[in-house]
Amino acid sequence: MSDSNPAPSLYQAREPIFPKRVSGPFRNLKWIIMAVTLGIYYLTPWIRWDRGPSLPDQAVLLDLANRRFYFFWIEIWPHEFYFVAGLLIMAGLGLFLFTSALGRVWCGYACPQTVWTDLYILVERWIEGDRNARLRLHHQKKLDFRKVRLRLTKWISWLLIGLATGGAWVFYFADAPTLLVDLMTGNAHPIAYTTMAVLTLTTFFFGGFAREQICIYACPWPRIQAAMMDEDTLVVGYREWRGEPRGKLRKSTDQTAEPQGDCIDCMACVNVCPVGIDIRDGQQMECITCALCIDACDDMMAKIGKPRGLIDYMAVSDETDGRVGQEPRNIWKHILRPRTIMYSVMWLLVGFGLVFALFIRPDIELTVAPVRNPTYVVLSDGSVRNTYDVRLRNKHGEERQFQLSVTGDATLRVQLEGTPYASVPVPANAAHLQRVYVISPKGTVPSTSNAIPFRIWVEDNANGERAYRDTTFNGKEN
C-alpha cells in the first residue's frame, strides 16, 4: 500500500467521560452501598475481638506468619482451607444468581472498580464542578494557574484515597494499631510499604483515569455474563415502542403534526452514563446496569408531564408484551424461575455445608506421617520398632496435656521421643510435632508381618476429647 493511502488505525483514542450529577432512588441506593462497602473495608481492621491472652484481638486478621485466618469467633487453620474454598464457591454462585435475576447488578453497585470510581468522580465533581464545567476544563488549551490548581488538588485527593486504600489492605495482615505506628515511624516491613505503594498507584490509575476502560476491556465478566441471562432477566432497557419516534418537546397541540414518542432526545440518559453509552441503542456489553439513566429519564419525564418508565428495569419478555399493550409481569415471576431457584438451592446447600462443618470440627486433631527410612528398626531384644511423626493440634485457648495410645493389636506399645511418659503438653492454639515410636515384641504377629493396620489415638486429659488416625505397622518378614 502506498504512503498516500495509509492503513486505517484499528484503535480509537479514548475520549474521557464526564458523567453528569443525577438524583433519584437508584443514585441514592448507589450512595448507600458505596458508604457501606467503603466503611466495611476501611473500618473492619480496627474492630477488636477478645480471644484470650495468647491470641490476637483483631476481629478480622489474615495472620500469614502463623498461618491463621481469624474472622470474629471463627479461626481457620491451614489444613481447613476448604472453608475458604467454600466461601469462594458461594461468592461465585451468588454472582451467578444476581446476574441471572438482575443482569450486571454487581458491576453497577458493588464491584470495587465501580465503588472507587464513583468516589473519585464525586471528588472530581466537588473540585472541578459538574459535567459542563469539567468538559470546559478538559478542552481548555491554555494551562493557566486555575487549571493547574484544580488538577493538582484533584490528583492529590485521589492519591490520598489510594493511600488509604492500600493502607487499609495491609492492616488486614497484621495488628492494625501496631502496624500503623510502625508505618509512621518507618519500622514496618518493606513488603508493607511496597504493597501500599502498588495499591495506591493502581487505585489512582484505575479509579481516576482508566475507569470504564477496566469494565469494558480488562474485566472478563461482560463477555461471559450472557451465559447466566435469558429473556426473563431484568436489565436496564429502553421502551422503544413508547419513545419512538423521538423528537424535541412540542409546545403546540397541532393535530396535523406527525405522531411523536415520549423521548424528547434530551440526552439526559447519555450524559449521566458512567460508561458513555446510549441505552436507547439497545442492550450493550458496556452497560453495567447502574440504572442512573433511569433516574435521569424519570426526572425528565416528570418535568414534561409524562409517565415514568421510558427507561426502566425490564425483561425481554416485558418488552414484547408492552408493544401489544399488555401489562408487565410481576417482578417476582421474573426472579423466581428454575434458573434462579437452582442457583439459590446450590448456594444454600454450600452455605449449610460450611456451617455444619464449622460446628462439628473438633478442638483437637492429629496427622500421622510414617517415617519409612528405614521402614523398621530391630532393637537389641529382637523387638521391631516403627517411627511416626505425629502433628498434634490444640485449638483451645490454653495449654493442654495430650495422651497418646494405640489400638489394633494388643502387643503394640507406644513410646514418645524426649519423654518417658505417654503424654505431651501442647501449647495453646498451636501445633506440636511429636516423634512417636510404636514397638512390637519379638515373635508377635506385627513384628513378623507387613502392613498390619492399627490406630493412633490422642486424648485431651482435661475433657476426655479424643481423635485418631489409621496407619500401618511394618515388621520383619520371615
Side-chain angles (χ1 to χ4, degrees):
M1 184 176 291
S2 63
D3 294 339
S4 59
N5 295 307
S9 174
L10 298 178
Y11 300 93
Q12 181 181 6
R14 174 181 180 257
E15 183 66 26
I17 298 171
F18 300 98
K20 185 178 180 181
R21 184 180 181 275
V22 63
S23 299
F26 293 107
R27 177 65 268 185
N28 293 337
L29 178 61
K30 281 174 66 67
W31 289 136
I32 293 172
I33 293 176
M34 184 180 77
V36 171
T37 53
L38 290 177
I40 292 173
Y41 176 75
Y42 287 120
L43 299 179
T44 297
W46 301 96
I47 301 175
R48 303 292 95 185
W49 190 269
D50 185 14
R51 299 186 179 89
S54 61
L55 294 175
D57 63 351
Q58 187 162 310
V60 179
L61 177 65
L62 284 78
D63 189 355
L64 298 182
N66 296 306
R67 296 184 298 174
R68 303 289 168 76
F69 172 42
Y70 300 96
F71 185 80
F72 293 92
W73 64 91
I74 301 173
E75 179 182 351
I76 304 298
W77 289 56
H79 66 288
E80 296 174 328
F81 190 79
Y82 56 85
F83 283 110
V84 179
L87 290 175
L88 293 177
I89 292 173
M90 290 186 67
L93 290 173
L95 186 59
F96 297 164
L97 171 61
F98 281 105
T99 302
S100 176
L102 299 169
R104 291 179 65 187
V105 66
W106 160 261
C107 301
Y109 293 90
C111 174
Q113 174 66 19
T114 297
V115 171
W116 264 272
T117 297
D118 262 1
L119 179 61
Y120 272 39
I121 292 176
L122 177 63
V123 172
E124 183 179 66
R125 185 180 294 121
W126 282 345
I127 296 172
E128 296 182 353
D130 205 0
R131 182 174 186 272
N132 292 337
R134 302 203 305 278
L135 277 171
R136 288 194 299 269
L137 189 66
H138 172 70
H139 292 297
Q140 177 183 322
K141 301 298 183 182
K142 181 181 178 182
L143 193 64
D144 56 12
F145 174 77
R146 177 178 176 275
K147 185 171 184 177
V148 172
R149 175 177 59 83
L150 292 177
R151 287 292 166 85
L152 286 178
T153 304
K154 178 179 69 175
W155 292 342
I156 291 173
S157 301
W158 285 355
L159 281 171
L160 291 176
I161 294 173
L163 182 63
T165 301
W169 179 255
V170 298
F171 289 151
Y172 282 91
F173 297 87
D175 182 65
T178 304
L179 180 57
L180 178 61
V181 173
D182 291 341
L183 290 170
M184 299 296 291
T185 57
N187 296 321
H189 195 281
I191 292 179
Y193 293 110
T194 303
T195 303
M196 289 180 62
V198 171
L199 288 177
T200 297
L201 294 178
T202 52
T203 306
F204 177 75
F205 176 71
F206 288 170
F209 298 96
R211 292 186 178 176
E212 79 287 348
Q213 303 290 289
I214 300 297
C215 302
I216 296 172
Y217 299 111
C219 180
W221 188 239
R223 290 156 182 81
I224 63 176
Q225 61 168 330
M228 271 68 74
M229 299 169 61
D230 55 30
E231 66 276 2
D232 282 314
T233 301
L234 294 170
V235 295
V236 176
Y238 169 64
R239 289 189 167 94
E240 183 182 3
W241 56 268
R242 173 184 154 187
E244 302 297 324
R246 70 185 74 161
K248 298 300 179 182
L249 180 65
R250 295 173 181 168
K251 295 185 179 180
S252 64
T253 57
D254 185 1
Q255 300 296 325
T256 63
E258 294 183 2
Q260 180 178 315
D262 287 351
C263 179
I264 61 174
D265 206 18
C266 63
M267 301 296 288
C269 56
V270 179
N271 292 337
V272 302
C273 180
V275 295
I277 65 170
D278 190 341
I279 194 63
R280 297 172 297 177
D281 294 336
Q283 277 298 304
Q284 297 154 70
M285 182 192 72
E286 296 85 352
C287 179
I288 60 173
T289 320
C290 65
L292 296 183
C293 53
I294 298 179
D295 285 338
C297 186
D298 284 349
D299 181 61
M300 187 57 63
M301 291 296 102
K303 290 179 180 178
I304 65 174
K306 299 286 186 178
R308 69 165 302 278
L310 180 59
I311 299 176
D312 205 355
Y313 269 105
M314 68 181 77
V316 173
S317 56
D318 286 340
E319 169 69 12
T320 304
D321 295 340
R323 288 181 179 274
V324 296
Q326 296 182 5
E327 289 293 324
R329 287 189 295 165
N330 184 277
I331 186 174
W332 291 108
K333 291 184 178 180
H334 288 295
I335 293 178
L336 297 178
R337 59 187 197 277
R339 182 192 293 260
T340 57
I341 293 174
M342 178 191 69
Y343 287 140
S344 300
V345 170
M346 294 172 63
W347 188 87
L348 289 172
L349 287 176
V350 175
F352 284 136
L354 289 178
V355 172
F356 180 75
L358 187 65
F359 279 99
I360 67 169
R361 65 176 183 170
D363 290 325
I364 66 171
E365 291 182 343
L366 78 158
T367 57
V368 177
V371 177
R372 296 310 189 197
N373 188 21
T375 304
Y376 62 87
V377 173
V378 179
L379 302 181
S380 59
D381 61 357
S383 59
V384 177
R385 185 182 76 184
N386 281 198
T387 306
Y388 304 86
D389 284 335
V390 178
R391 187 174 296 276
L392 305 169
R393 297 187 183 92
N394 175 20
K395 297 181 180 180
H396 293 282
E398 65 277 346
E399 181 180 287
R400 293 294 178 95
Q401 194 78 16
F402 283 4
Q403 183 87 19
L404 281 90
S405 60
V406 295
T407 59
D409 190 287
T411 64
L412 295 177
R413 60 186 177 89
V414 64
Q415 179 181 341
L416 306 188
E417 184 179 75
T419 175
Y421 306 104
S423 64
V424 61
V426 180
N429 200 67
H432 173 72
L433 183 61
Q434 177 66 48
R435 177 149 290 192
V436 176
Y437 302 113
V438 177
I439 303 171
S440 176
K442 180 181 178 180
T444 58
V445 173
S447 67
T448 58
S449 305
N450 188 37
I452 297 297
F454 75 100
R455 180 171 291 174
I456 296 181
W457 288 85
V458 60
E459 180 177 351
D460 185 349
N461 289 343
N463 59 12
E465 185 178 5
R466 305 181 76 193
Y468 68 87
R469 283 292 183 270
D470 291 323
T471 185
T472 57
F473 185 93
N474 291 288
K476 182 181 178 182
E477 295 182 276
N478 296 324

